[in-house]
Amino acid sequence: MSLVLYGHPFSSYTQKALIALYENDTPFEFRCIGPDTPEHVAEWLRRWPIARFPLLLDGERQIAETSLVIEYLQLAHPGPVRLLPADPMAALDVRFLDRYFDLYVMSAMQLAVDTALQRYPMTVEKGRAIASERLERAYVWLEAHLAGKAWATGEHFTLADCAAAPSLFYADWVHRIPETCPLLRAYRARLLARPSFARAVEEARPYRSFFPLGAPDRD
């Protein structure tokens, strides 16, 4: 087996990569980063001192940044589910939505989490308020965008949906998607029902106590 993924099951970006691997039943070895696996931590940091995961190894080649990991998998280890369209303009739409979920949903959610972890000099309440305002704006745009679509860019599950699944999963814990966004709420439910993401959610379930704002008793 040549593929190795360093990460943690509760990490949103690790989940994003796992979804892509599970979608195509791609064989790989998962090396969990944590206090119980110091050998994995040491090797991960040796290879990637930036200390962000996931990190994918394919033999001696390493790929960081989750969107690139998924694109690499399609190039080097393709499967029946194509996560980036062959048409360049359609692929551009997918990449835009991928960036949207990472930059405007995931990052907003992470601000609230990082504030709760005291990584920013502001109160938890202030961090959550800023995150909620940003998420509310992101939700409104997505509600309009999703009209007539099953998945982020249309009828096919893509890289954008790999990004959307953990983004909306955790964002909804920070700032609940309002009832005024029924299409977005339904989309999140479809993502949770997708077998690849459902598997990632179940694998992360034992770690819910790690969520610094308190994981809700749902999902």
Side-chain angles (χ1 to χ4, degrees):
M1 182 185 300
S2 65
L3 288 178
V4 174
L5 188 73
Y6 287 91
H8 192 279
F10 200 58
S11 152
S12 55
Y13 284 108
T14 300
Q15 289 177 8
K16 179 178 170 180
L18 287 172
I19 292 166
L21 288 161
Y22 293 158
E23 281 289 322
N24 280 308
D25 293 321
T26 306
F28 72 101
E29 176 189 347
F30 185 68
R31 293 181 184 171
C32 187
I33 302 298
D36 297 331
T37 54
E39 70 282 7
H40 294 342
V41 175
E43 179 63 11
W44 166 60
L45 291 175
R46 183 186 74 80
R47 289 180 172 275
W48 190 232
I50 301 300
R52 293 287 184 269
F53 44 66
L55 176 69
L56 182 74
L57 302 185
D58 189 2
E60 283 305 307
R61 182 165 192 165
Q62 66 181 45
I63 304 94
E65 297 301 326
T66 315
S67 298
L68 296 181
V69 166
I70 295 172
E71 291 210 34
Y72 176 81
L73 288 171
Q74 180 161 295
L75 292 170
H77 300 272
V81 179
R82 187 179 181 94
L83 296 172
L84 265 168
D87 177 72
M89 294 303 288
L92 191 65
D93 291 339
V94 169
R95 290 188 180 98
F96 167 70
L97 265 295
D98 170 68
R99 295 293 78 225
Y100 188 94
F101 284 110
D102 279 4
L103 295 174
Y104 306 123
V105 181
M106 193 98 78
S107 291
M109 176 278 298
Q110 194 64 47
L111 173 64
V113 169
D114 285 343
T115 303
L117 293 172
Q118 299 183 329
R119 292 173 179 164
Y120 293 117
M122 68 177 75
T123 65
V124 175
E125 294 75 18
K126 178 65 173 177
R128 194 159 190 171
I130 293 171
S132 295
E133 189 272 332
R134 291 178 181 177
L135 286 171
E136 190 71 25
R137 282 188 283 137
Y139 292 163
V140 169
W141 186 88
L142 284 167
E143 178 69 15
H145 170 77
L146 287 169
K149 297 181 180 68
W151 301 109
T153 58
E155 60 179 302
H156 299 294
F157 189 93
T158 68
L159 163 67
D161 302 289
C162 295
S167 297
L168 293 172
F169 179 75
Y170 288 117
D172 190 65
W173 286 9
V174 169
H175 180 68
R176 195 77 185 265
I177 299 171
E179 293 185 3
T180 52
C181 294
L183 297 179
L184 184 57
R185 288 165 68 99
Y187 174 55
R188 183 178 183 272
R190 285 195 298 279
L191 290 166
L192 278 164
R194 185 86 176 184
S196 58
F197 186 48
R199 178 178 173 182
V201 168
E202 285 307 309
E203 291 170 345
R205 196 172 294 277
Y207 303 100
R208 290 194 174 197
S209 62
F210 289 6
F211 197 69
L213 296 168
D217 187 21
R218 55 185 169 85
D219 298 326

